[in-house]
C-alpha cells in the first residue's frame, strides 16, 4: 500500500521514476510511491515505519536531516545528503517530503560498461582489433599493439600501417560472407608478421539490421607453439635415427642366430627368437613411419616422378596381400578399366599408400569378408585416375572420417582400437598423395565398411588445369563451406569431391535424389552439385524442391546433364554444364558459384545484342560503369542462346541483325511465359519512325535512337527495371503478373469473345502450415506452386496462355477450354508429388500436422492440397467480371468442402486420373 498523501497527486506519482515519500514529524512514512519502494527496496509494508528503520544505511542520513531541519528550521529548503547510489533530498512542507533518485545516470552506466570492456580487452593475451567498413582501425588493444610493434602511446594507427604489416584488408576479406552465423563466416589463417607466426581470425561485425559494419580481428601469437612442433619433429627424427642403428644390429644378430650361423638352436629357442625378430621388424616399420612423417613436415620428402602404370602397381601390391587375405578367408577383387591407367608419380611412394590401405582393409575386415579395389577413370574432367579400396569391416563413423588422416589418430571405437597400429599410416599416405597434387579421403556409412579413395592427376603437373585452377586455390580463406554432390555415377562424384576438397570445402556425397534430399535437409549446404540424369525426372524434381525451399532457394546449384533441360532454367541460381563435364567449365561454374556464396553478385544482367562491335564497346563501357553485368551477342541466334543460359534482367536489342532480326527476337521473348516479363529496349537507327512503331508493336518497352547518349541509356534502363519490378510482380515471391495485369488480360478475353478456360487455383491448409512451419517455408510453398503452374502451362498449354498471381495463395491461368483438363490435372499431380517434401519426414509420413486452433483445441490438419476450379465459356456465356467472380466463388466453395486436391470444371467435379502426358 502506498498510503495517503497530503501534497502529492498519487495517481501521477506512481508513474514517475523518482522515488517520493512523505513523512510525518516523527519521520514515519505516510506515503511512498512505487519508485521509492523499489529504490529503497522496502517492500510493500512501508507505511508507518520509521524512515530510519527502512535500511540501516538510511539511519545516519535521516538523523542528519532531522538535525538540520530542527536546527535551521528548514521548511522548503532542500538538503542534499548523498549516498553512494541514491541521492536523497528532504523538503519540508506540511509534512516532510523525501525525494529519492538514483545517482547513476545512463551515461554513467555506459561508461562503466565501456570501462569493463576496455579492461577486458586490455587484459587479453590475444591481440584484438576492430575496423570499420573502410578498414580504418577503431579499436586496438595493448596485446595487438605489442604483436604489431605499434608503440604504446600511439593511439591512432593508420590503416596503411596495418595493411603493410598484416598484408590484408580485413573488411574486404570478410565482405559478403553470407552465412547464417558470424561463427561460420570467420576466416582463419596463419600469417607471419615480423618474426612471429600468428593465427588470425577475422570475423565480420553486423549491425542489428544485418548490415556489415566492420570486422574484428583476433591475433594469437603461436610462434612458441610452432617452434615446439618443429622441435618435436626434430626430436622424432633424431630419436628414430638413433634407434635404427641398434635395431639393425639386433635384427642382424637375430638373423645370425636364427640361420644357425653361430650354432644350432632348439625349436623352443627358435620360436622365441622368431617372436623377437617379428617385433624387431614391426619396430623398424614404426621407425620408418616416424622418419617419413618428420620428412614430410619439414618438406624434405623427395618425390621422384616418372610415368607409371597404376594398374600394374595396384595388381602387384594386391598380389602381395593375397596370402594374408587367404589366411582370413578374405577375397580381394580388382576392377579395372579396359585401358591401362597411367599417372605421373613416385612408384615406391604410391606402393606405400596402397600397402597402407590394403593392410588396414585386411586388418579391419572380419574373416570371410571382401575387399574391393577399383581403378577408375572418371568420365568427367578427364585427366585423373581414381583408386578406391573398399572393405566389409566395421566402417568409420562420420566424425572420425577426417580424423583418421591425422598423425597418431585412431578411431575412438574400442573394437578398432584393439587392433594395433601407430596411427601414422594414413597421415603419411595423405602427405604422399598431396605431394602428387592428388586427394585422398574416406567414405563410410553405418554397417557398410570403409572405402578409401584417392585421385591422382594423370599429367606431370597437377591436372593440366588452366589459370582459374591456380587462381582459385591461391587465396583460400578457410571458411566452412559445405557442398553436397548428388550424382548417380560415383566415379565422377569422387573426382568432383576431390576438386572441392582441394578448394578447402567440406563435401557430402549422395547417389540418389532421395538420399541427396535427406542429406541436404539434415544439413543445408552452401552449394549443391547435381547430376540431372539420376533417374528419369527425379533430378529435376529435386532441383524444383530445392529452389523453392527457403533454406536452399538461394543456393547456387551446379547442374550437369546430357541435354540442357528447358524447364529448369527459370531458377535463378542454376549453373548448367553439359556432359561430358570438362574441367574448364566445371571450374568456371565453381568459381561463379563461389562468387555467389561469398558475395552474392546482386548486379543486374543486361543482354546487349548488336552486330556493330564499336557500338557494343561503348554501351558495354557505360553499362559496366553503372555496375551492370553485360552479356553480348552479335547476331540473333547467339542472342537467343544467351537469353536461355543467362536469363538477363533486360535486353538491349538492335533491330537489324544478321540471322533472326530484333523484332522476331522480341516476339519470341514476349510470347514465352518464362521471359515475357523481361523488358526489351530497341536500338534503332536515326529518324526511322516506322522502325520505332514496329519496335513498340513487337513488344518493345522502349527504344533509343543511335547514336545514343550513355547517361540517357543508363537512366532509361534504370527506370524500366524499376517499373518492371513494380508493375509486373504481384508479389516478389512468384514474379508472376499481378492483379492489374490479370484484369487487363480478362478484359481482353471478354472483348474478343473467343473460347477460353479461366482456371482459379487456391491452396488448402496454408494457414496451419504457416503456423507450424513459419512464414518463410509457407512463402516457399507459394513460390513453388507458382512455378508448378507456370511450368505446366508452359509445357502443356498454348504459347499465348496467361498465368497470374492474384494475391496470397490465389492463382489464375487462362488457356483454351480443351487444354484446361490436362493442365489442371497435371498441376494437381505435380503439386501432390512435390509439396509433401516441404514437411519434415514424420509429418509427411503421418499425412497430417497437429496444431491448436483459435480456441486452443488441438486438431489434425491434413497436408497442403490445391483446389482448382475452371470456368469455360463453352457451355455458358461469360460476359463480365462480376458474373465471373461470382461463379468462381461458388465453385471454390464447392471445392473447399472436399478434403484433398480437387478439380472442378463448370460445376462438375472431374475425377483425378493420371493424365497422359
Ligand atoms: P594404424 O592403422 O597404424 O593405426 P592408420 O593411419 O593407417 O594407422 O589408420 C588410422 C586409424 O584409422 C586406424 O587406427 C583405424 O582406427 C582407422 N582405419 C583405417 N583404416 C580403416 C578401415 N579400413 N576400417 C576401419 N577403420 C580404419
Amino acid at each position: 500500500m502506498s498510503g495517503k498523501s497530503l501534497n502529492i497527486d498519487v495517481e501521477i506519482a506512481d508513474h514517475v521514476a523518482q522515488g517520493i515519500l512523505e513523512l510525518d514529524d516523527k519521520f514515519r512514512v505516510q506515503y511512498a510511491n512505487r519508485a521509492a519502494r523499489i529504490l529503497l527496496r522496502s517492500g510493500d509494508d512501508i507505511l508507518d515505519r520509521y524512515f530510519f528503520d527502512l535500511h540501516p544505511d538510511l539511519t545516519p542520513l535521516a538523523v542528519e536531516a532531522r538535525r538540520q531541519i530542527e536546527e535551521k528550521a528548514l521548511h522548503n529548503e532542500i538538503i542534499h545528503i548523498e549516498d553512494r547510489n541514491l541521492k536523497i533530498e528532504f523538503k519540508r512542507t506540511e509534512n516532510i517530503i523525501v525525494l529519492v533518485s538514483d545517482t547513476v545516470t545512463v551515461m554513467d552506466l555506459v561508461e562503466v560498461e565501456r570501462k569493463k570492456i576496455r579492461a577486458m580487452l586490455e587484459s587479453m593475451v590475444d591481440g584484438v582489433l576492430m575496423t570499420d567498413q573502410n578498414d580504418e582501425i577503431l579499436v586496438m588493444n595493448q596485446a595487438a599493439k605489442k604483436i604489431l610493434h605499434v608503440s604504446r602511446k600511439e593511439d591512432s594507427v593508420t590503416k596503411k600501417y596495418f595493411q603493410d604489416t598484416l598484408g590484408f584488408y580485413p573488411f574486404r576479406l570478410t565482405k559478403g560472407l553470407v552465412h547464417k552465423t558470424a561463427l561460420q563466416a570467420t576466416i582463419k589463417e596463419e600469417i607471419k608478421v615480423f618474426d612471429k607466426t600468428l593465427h588470425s581470425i577475422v570475423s565480420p561485425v553486423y549491425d542489428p539490421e544485418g548490415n556489415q559494419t566492420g570486422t574484428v580481428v583476433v591475433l594469437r601469437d603461436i610462434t612458441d607453439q610452432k617452434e615446439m612442433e618443429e622441435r618435436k619433429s626434430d626430436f622424432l627424427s633424431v630419436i628414430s635415427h638413433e634407434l635404427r642403428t641398434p635395431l639393425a644390429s639386433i635384427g642382424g644378430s637375430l638373423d645370425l642366430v636364427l640361420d644357425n650361423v653361430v650354432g644350432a638352436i632348439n625349436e623352443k629357442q627358435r620360436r622365441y627368437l622368431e617372436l623377437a625378430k617379428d617385433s624387431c621388424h614391426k619396430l623398424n616399420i614404426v621407425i620408418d613411419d616416424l622418419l617419413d612423417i618428420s620428412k614430410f613436415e619439414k618438406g624434405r620428402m623427395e618425390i621422384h616422378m616418372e610415368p607409371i602404370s597404376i594398374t600394374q602397381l595396384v595388381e602387384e601390391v594386391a598380389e602381395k596381400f593375397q596370402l594374408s587375405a587367404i589366411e582370413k578367408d578374405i577375397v580381394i577383387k580388382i576392377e579395372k578399366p579396359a585401358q591401362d591407367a597411367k599417372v605421373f608419380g613416385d612408384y615406391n611412394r604410391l606402393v606405400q599408400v596402397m600397402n597402407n590401405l590394403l593392410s588396414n582393409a585386411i586388418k579391419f575386415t572380419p574373416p570371410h569378408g571382401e575387399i574391393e579395389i577399383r581403378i577408375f577413370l572418371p568420365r568427367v574432367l578427364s585427366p585423373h585416375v581414381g583408386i578406391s579400396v573398399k572393405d566389409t569391416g566395421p566402417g568409420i563413423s562420420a566424425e572420425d572420417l577426417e580424423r583418421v588422416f591425422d598423425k597418431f589418430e585412431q578411431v575412438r571405437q574400442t573394437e578398432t582400437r584393439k587392433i594395433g597400429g601407430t596411427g601414422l599410416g594414413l597421415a603419411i599416405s595423405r602427405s604422399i598423395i598431396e605431394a602428387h597434387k592428388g586427394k585422398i579421403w574416406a567414405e563410410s556409412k553405418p554397417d557398410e565398411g570403409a572405402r578409401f579413395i584417392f585421385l591422382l592427376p594423370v599429367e606431370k603437373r597437377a591436372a593440366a588445369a588452366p589459370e582459374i585452377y591456380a587462381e582459385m586455390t591461391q587465396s583460400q580463406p578457410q571458411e566452412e563451406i559445405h557442398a553436397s554432390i548428388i550424382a548417380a555415377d560415383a566415379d565422377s562424384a569422387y573426382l568432383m569431391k576431390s576438386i572441392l576438397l582441394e578448394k578447402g570445402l567440406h563435401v557430402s556425397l549422395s547417389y540418389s535424389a532421395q538420399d541427396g534430399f535427406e542429406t541436404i535437409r539434415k544439413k543445408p549446404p552452401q552449394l549443391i552439385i547435381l547430376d540431372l540424369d539420376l533417374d528419369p525426372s527425379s533430378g529435376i524434381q529435386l532441383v524444383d524442391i530445392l529452389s523453392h525451399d527457403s533454406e536452399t532457394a538461394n543456393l547456387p546449384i551446379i547442374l550437369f546433364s546430357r541435354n540442357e533441360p528447358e524447364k529448369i532454367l527459370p531458377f535463378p541460381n542454376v549453373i548448367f554444364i553439359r556432359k561430358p563435364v570438362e574441367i574448364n567449365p566445371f571450374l568456371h561454374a565453381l568459381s561463379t558459384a563461389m562468387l555467389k556464396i561469398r558475395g552474392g553478385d546482386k548486379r543486374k544482367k543486361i543482354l546487349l545484342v548488336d552486330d556493330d562491335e564499336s557500338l557494343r564497346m561503348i554501351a558495354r563501357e557505360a553499362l559496366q560503369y553503372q555496375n551492370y553485368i553485360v552479356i553480348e551477342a552479335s547476331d540473333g541466334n547467339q542472342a537467343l542462346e544467351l537469353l536461355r543460359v543467362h536469363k538477363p534482367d533486360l535486353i538491349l536489342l538492335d533491330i537489324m541483325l544478321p540471322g533472326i532480326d530484333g523484332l522476331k527476337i522480341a516476339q519470341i521473348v514476349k510470347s514465352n511465359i518464362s521471359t515475357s516479363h523481361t523488358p526489351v529496349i530497341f536500338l534503332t537507327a536515326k529518324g526511322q519512325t516506322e522502325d520505332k512503331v514496329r519496335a513498340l508493336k513487337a513488344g518493345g518497352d522502349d527504344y533509343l535512337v543511335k547514336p545514343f547518349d550513355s547517361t540517357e541509356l543508363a537512366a532509361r534502363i534504370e527506370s524500366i527495371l524499376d517499373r518492371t519490378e513494380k508493375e509486373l510482380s504481384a508479389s516478389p515471391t512468384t514474379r508472376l503478373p499481378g492483379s492489374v495485369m490479370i484484369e487487363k488480360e480478362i478484359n481482353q478475353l471478354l472483348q474478343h469473345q473467343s473460347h477460353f478456360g479461366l482456371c482459379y487455383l487456391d491452396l488448402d491448409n496454408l494457414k496451419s502450415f504457416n503456423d507450424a512451419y513459419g512464414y518463410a517455408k509457407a512463402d516457399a510453398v507459394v513460390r513453388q506452386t507458382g512455378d508448378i503452374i507456370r511450368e505446366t502451362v508452359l509445357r502443356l498449354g498454348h504459347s499465348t496462355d496467361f498465368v497470374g498471381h492474384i494475391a496470397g495463395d490465389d492463382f489464375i491461368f487462362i488457356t483454351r477450354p480443351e487444354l484446361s483438363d490436362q493442365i489442371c490435372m497435371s498441376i494437381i499431380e505435380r503439386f501432390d508429388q512435390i509439396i509433401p517434401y516441404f514437411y519434415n519426414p514424420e509429418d509427411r509420413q503421418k499425412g497430417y500436422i497437429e496444431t491448436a486452433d483459435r480456441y486452443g483445441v488441438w486438431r489434425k490438419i491434413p497436408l497442403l492440397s490445391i483446389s482448382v476450379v475452371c470456368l469455360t465459356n463453352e457451355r455458358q456465356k461469360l460476359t463480365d467480371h462480376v458474373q465471373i467472380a461470382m461463379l468462381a466463388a461458388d465453385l471454390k466453395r464447392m471445392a473447399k468442402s472436399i478434403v484433398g486436391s480437387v478439380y472442378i470444371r463448370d460445376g462438375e467435379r472431374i475425377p483425378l486420373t493420371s493424365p497422359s502426358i
Side-chain angles (χ1 to χ4, degrees):
M1 276 297 293
S2 313
K4 280 213 185 75
S5 166
L6 302 173
N7 303 298
I8 301 161
D9 183 337
V10 176
E11 283 293 310
I12 296 174
D14 256 355
H15 292 95
V16 297
Q18 189 168 42
I20 306 171
L21 300 109
E22 198 169 327
L23 314 178
D24 65 10
D25 276 354
K26 307 249 164 350
F27 270 59
R28 273 183 309 220
V29 179
Q30 298 304 302
Y31 165 80
N33 73 346
R34 196 195 313 243
R37 279 174 284 141
I38 293 171
L39 286 168
L40 296 171
R41 299 196 181 92
S42 69
D44 271 351
D45 59 342
I46 188 169
L47 294 188
D48 281 335
R49 285 174 64 189
Y50 285 101
F51 185 72
F52 324 96
D53 288 347
L54 291 180
H55 191 280
D57 285 356
L58 289 175
T59 319
L61 278 175
V63 170
E64 176 64 14
R66 194 171 189 170
R67 192 181 58 77
Q68 288 193 26
I69 289 170
E70 279 165 6
E71 258 179 29
K72 299 181 189 166
L74 288 179
H75 288 284
N76 287 329
E77 280 178 54
I78 295 169
I79 303 163
H80 295 274
I81 300 172
E82 245 183 72
D83 181 46
R84 189 160 39 89
N85 291 318
L86 300 176
K87 187 165 116 190
I88 303 192
E89 301 169 20
F90 292 90
K91 191 172 175 200
R92 186 80 163 105
T93 55
E94 280 159 70
N95 274 337
I96 300 160
I97 305 289
V98 187
L99 301 175
V100 185
S101 45
D102 216 324
T103 53
V104 185
T105 63
V106 175
M107 284 312 286
D108 293 335
L109 280 177
V110 171
E111 190 50 36
V112 169
E113 287 306 313
R114 188 178 303 178
K115 274 191 184 141
K116 263 197 233 160
I117 292 175
R118 194 80 227 172
M120 186 183 82
L121 268 178
E122 292 310 339
S123 55
M124 279 174 79
V125 186
D126 291 340
V128 178
L129 299 140
M130 188 171 165
T131 75
D132 66 7
Q133 290 132 303
N134 302 317
D135 281 327
E136 219 62 75
I137 296 156
L138 305 176
V139 177
M140 185 180 215
N141 71 351
Q142 287 304 336
K145 286 185 183 168
K146 195 167 153 216
I147 291 173
L148 300 174
H149 293 197
V150 176
S151 76
R152 277 176 166 265
K153 280 163 270 126
E154 199 172 345
D155 260 344
S156 60
V157 186
T158 63
K159 138 173 153 190
K160 183 164 181 325
Y161 176 84
F162 187 48
Q163 281 151 9
D164 289 349
T165 35
L166 278 184
F168 61 60
Y169 301 72
F171 187 83
R172 237 187 262 173
L173 204 63
T174 52
K175 195 171 167 220
L177 286 181
V178 276
H179 294 298
K180 285 186 195 129
T181 63
L183 217 57
Q184 280 178 307
T186 51
I187 294 178
K188 297 174 189 157
E189 279 178 315
E190 228 174 79
I191 47 175
K192 268 225 141 4
V193 175
F194 304 112
D195 54 341
K196 300 222 176 295
T197 312
L198 304 180
H199 184 222
S200 99
I201 304 175
V202 186
S203 320
V205 177
Y206 299 105
D207 65 11
E209 279 79 48
N211 305 313
Q212 194 186 341
T213 53
T215 48
V216 173
V217 184
V218 178
L219 301 170
R220 173 166 295 178
D221 187 348
I222 52 164
T223 319
D224 292 347
Q225 199 180 322
K226 277 262 146 193
E227 263 171 25
M228 265 307 276
E229 273 172 28
E230 236 161 70
R231 255 186 261 150
K232 208 165 67 191
S233 168
D234 280 345
F235 172 75
L236 274 183
S237 122
V238 170
I239 285 289
S240 310
H241 276 293
E242 292 300 319
L243 282 177
R244 176 165 273 182
T245 328
L247 201 59
S249 92
I250 297 173
S253 312
L254 285 171
D255 279 340
L256 287 178
V257 182
L258 279 168
D259 292 346
N260 295 333
V261 178
V262 287
I265 48 171
N266 64 30
E267 254 331 285
K268 209 168 179 180
Q269 287 167 334
R270 173 171 299 278
R271 249 199 346 266
Y272 283 112
L273 287 172
E274 265 166 2
L275 268 179
K277 173 80 191 151
D278 197 40
S279 300
C280 201
H281 178 67
K282 282 192 182 135
L283 206 49
N284 254 320
I285 292 179
V286 173
I287 289 171
D288 281 349
D289 281 355
L290 285 174
L291 280 173
D292 272 355
I293 278 285
S294 61
K295 273 191 211 153
F296 268 116
E297 278 175 0
K298 293 205 171 80
R300 289 195 206 133
M301 175 61 76
E302 282 175 29
I303 298 273
H304 304 284
M305 297 284 212
E306 54 181 341
I308 51 178
S309 154
I310 200 89
T311 320
Q312 199 186 338
L313 182 149
V314 168
E315 282 173 336
E316 276 172 20
V317 176
E319 188 54 42
K320 254 194 338 206
F321 281 91
Q322 278 305 350
L323 207 64
S324 37
I326 290 168
E327 268 175 22
K328 280 180 87 175
D329 193 21
I330 293 172
V331 182
I332 301 183
K333 285 200 312 195
I334 302 184
E335 212 181 286
K336 55 182 185 183
Q339 77 257 47
D340 188 21
K342 286 209 159 61
V343 294
F344 221 84
D346 185 317
Y347 188 86
N348 291 329
R349 288 291 173 193
L350 292 176
V351 165
Q352 203 177 338
V353 174
M354 276 312 290
N355 272 341
N356 182 241
L357 296 187
L358 273 177
S359 69
N360 278 345
I362 288 184
K363 207 157 61 170
F364 289 104
T365 303
H368 324 300
E370 185 184 285
I371 294 169
E372 176 210 271
I373 307 174
R374 285 191 60 226
I375 304 170
F376 58 94
L377 303 165
R379 260 170 281 161
V380 292
L381 319 166
S382 33
H384 280 82
V385 174
I387 287 108
S388 87
V389 178
K390 173 161 178 11
D391 61 43
T392 50
I396 301 170
S397 65
E399 62 268 27
D400 282 326
L401 282 175
E402 258 306 298
R403 235 170 39 86
V404 294
F405 289 95
D406 290 343
K407 274 181 295 178
F408 306 109
E409 281 291 357
Q410 293 178 329
V411 175
R412 286 177 229 263
Q413 270 167 4
T414 37
E415 321 142 39
T416 53
R417 278 223 104 132
K418 278 187 261 160
I419 304 177
T422 53
L424 284 175
L426 289 175
I428 295 171
S429 298
R430 174 166 277 184
S431 303
I432 294 175
I433 297 296
E434 285 180 357
H436 282 78
K437 301 271 187 270
K439 272 282 157 202
I440 182 168
W441 73 92
E443 305 263 334
S444 182
K445 291 223 164 116
D447 308 324
E448 271 188 19
R451 184 196 289 274
F452 284 84
I453 300 145
F454 66 92
L455 280 119
L456 295 170
V458 169
E459 287 162 44
K460 193 168 182 177
R461 284 174 45 77
E467 319 89 69
I468 327 171
Y469 194 75
E471 176 201 317
M472 288 194 43
T473 40
Q474 245 177 33
S475 66
Q476 199 189 94
Q478 289 160 10
E479 320 156 43
E480 290 237 324
I481 297 181
H482 287 259
S484 210
I485 301 180
I486 306 148
D489 166 23
D491 300 353
S492 317
Y494 289 151
L495 182 55
M496 290 184 198
K497 174 160 177 170
S498 80
I499 290 175
L500 298 185
L501 288 176
E502 177 68 34
K503 314 247 167 286
L505 276 72
H506 299 257
V507 188
S508 72
L509 286 181
S510 323
Y511 306 108
S512 73
Q514 182 65 30
D515 191 19
F517 181 71
E518 299 295 343
T519 313
I520 289 170
R521 264 290 149 87
K522 256 187 246 148
K523 186 170 171 46
Q526 281 99 319
L527 165 68
I528 296 169
I529 299 181
L530 174 68
D531 183 351
L532 264 192
D533 310 324
L534 280 174
D535 55 63
S537 86
S538 72
I540 292 212
Q541 206 163 310
L542 184 62
V543 183
D544 228 13
I545 298 168
L546 296 176
S547 49
H548 289 88
D549 189 326
S550 50
E551 277 189 56
T552 49
N554 291 317
L555 299 185
I557 304 183
I558 300 180
L559 276 186
F560 47 98
S561 169
R562 275 183 294 278
N563 306 306
E564 183 166 340
E566 295 248 348
K567 287 187 281 191
I568 51 123
L569 287 172
F571 301 121
N573 287 337
V574 168
I575 307 166
F576 178 78
I577 311 177
R578 200 184 297 276
K579 280 187 187 170
V581 180
E582 299 287 339
I583 187 121
N584 258 337
F586 181 69
L587 291 173
H588 228 102
L590 202 56
S591 57
T592 314
M594 294 301 263
L595 203 81
K596 284 210 166 96
I597 295 171
R598 296 229 169 88
D601 198 341
K602 294 188 191 78
R603 290 177 299 162
K604 294 247 153 85
K605 277 191 249 172
I606 294 180
L607 174 62
L608 170 62
V609 193
D610 202 309
D611 56 343
D612 179 352
E613 203 184 325
S614 54
L615 180 131
R616 284 206 313 270
M617 204 176 75
I618 298 167
R620 188 203 317 134
E621 284 282 319
L623 294 173
Q624 281 175 344
Y625 182 72
Q626 298 291 334
N627 216 12
Y628 291 112
I629 298 174
V630 185
I631 306 145
E632 294 173 48
S634 56
D635 65 54
N637 291 323
Q638 200 188 2
L640 287 178
E641 174 71 19
L642 293 178
L643 184 69
R644 274 189 315 120
V645 178
H646 291 282
K647 286 166 273 162
D649 296 286
L650 182 141
I651 307 168
L652 272 179
L653 192 57
D654 187 17
I655 293 189
M656 299 279 286
L657 282 173
I660 308 171
D661 75 10
L663 297 172
K664 181 86 191 122
I665 293 179
Q667 271 161 10
I668 296 174
V669 168
K670 292 295 174 183
S671 63
N672 186 323
I673 299 178
S674 61
T675 51
S676 62
H677 60 274
T678 314
V680 173
I681 301 183
F682 278 107
L683 302 171
T684 68
K686 207 171 181 176
Q688 291 174 318
T689 324
E690 209 181 295
D691 263 4
K692 292 178 206 162
V693 176
R694 281 202 297 156
L696 294 180
K697 272 195 172 156
D701 295 77
D702 199 354
Y703 64 86
L704 271 170
V705 178
K706 293 195 262 190
F708 45 78
D709 177 65
S710 51
T711 353
E712 188 188 346
L713 174 72
R716 293 254 189 128
I717 288 179
E718 201 183 323
S719 97
I720 287 196
L721 284 174
D722 262 8
R723 204 172 68 208
T724 332
E725 193 102 333
K726 285 198 198 100
E727 250 180 33
L728 285 185
S729 303
S731 67
T733 324
T734 54
R735 303 190 68 84
L736 283 171
S739 48
V740 180
M741 296 285 283
I742 294 172
E743 203 179 316
K744 245 196 217 165
E745 198 71 26
I746 295 180
N747 274 340
Q748 263 177 20
L749 275 187
L750 294 177
Q751 268 167 25
H752 288 114
Q753 276 308 319
S754 51
H755 278 165
F756 61 83
L758 203 54
C759 304
Y760 291 88
L761 308 97
D762 187 7
L763 299 186
D764 315 319
N765 307 324
L766 186 68
K767 171 152 184 344
S768 321
F769 179 81
N770 184 58
D771 292 345
Y773 283 85
Y775 171 76
K777 281 254 189 293
D779 213 34
V781 166
V782 171
R783 206 164 38 233
Q784 172 89 60
T785 308
D787 278 357
I788 292 177
I789 300 169
R790 178 181 17 221
E791 279 156 34
T792 316
V793 174
L794 193 65
R795 187 160 48 97
L796 302 173
H798 189 260
S799 63
T800 55
D801 287 354
F802 171 86
V803 180
H805 185 176
I806 303 171
D809 58 352
D810 280 310
F811 293 88
I812 189 172
F813 72 86
I814 303 169
T815 183
R816 301 182 170 185
E818 68 274 17
L819 297 177
S820 62
D821 283 3
Q822 203 192 11
I823 299 178
C824 291
M825 292 210 260
S826 181
I827 288 174
I828 292 178
E829 189 193 47
R830 209 156 159 63
F831 182 94
D832 287 343
Q833 215 173 34
I834 289 177
I835 299 298
Y837 284 99
F838 282 84
Y839 291 86
N840 58 37
E842 300 88 70
D843 286 347
R844 189 161 66 229
Q845 233 137 43
K846 276 195 304 195
Y848 60 85
I849 52 175
E850 270 175 301
T851 58
D853 68 9
R854 261 183 285 173
Y855 310 103
V857 179
W858 282 91
R859 288 180 184 281
K860 289 182 181 176
I861 311 284
L863 301 192
L864 286 157
S865 56
I866 189 165
S867 297
V868 185
V869 304
C870 180
L871 283 174
T872 68
N873 59 353
E874 271 183 327
R875 281 186 245 159
Q876 61 202 333
K877 255 186 152 244
L878 296 176
T879 48
D880 68 281
H881 280 289
V882 183
Q883 179 207 9
I884 292 176
M886 279 169 62
L887 283 171
D890 273 351
L891 293 187
K892 272 194 208 170
R893 241 192 316 276
M894 182 172 162
K896 285 273 175 198
S897 65
I898 303 166
V899 176
S901 296
V902 266
Y903 171 44
I904 292 175
R905 183 190 2 97
D906 295 328
E908 183 190 345
R909 181 173 175 191
I910 315 281
L912 296 174
T913 47
S914 270
S916 48
I917 307 161

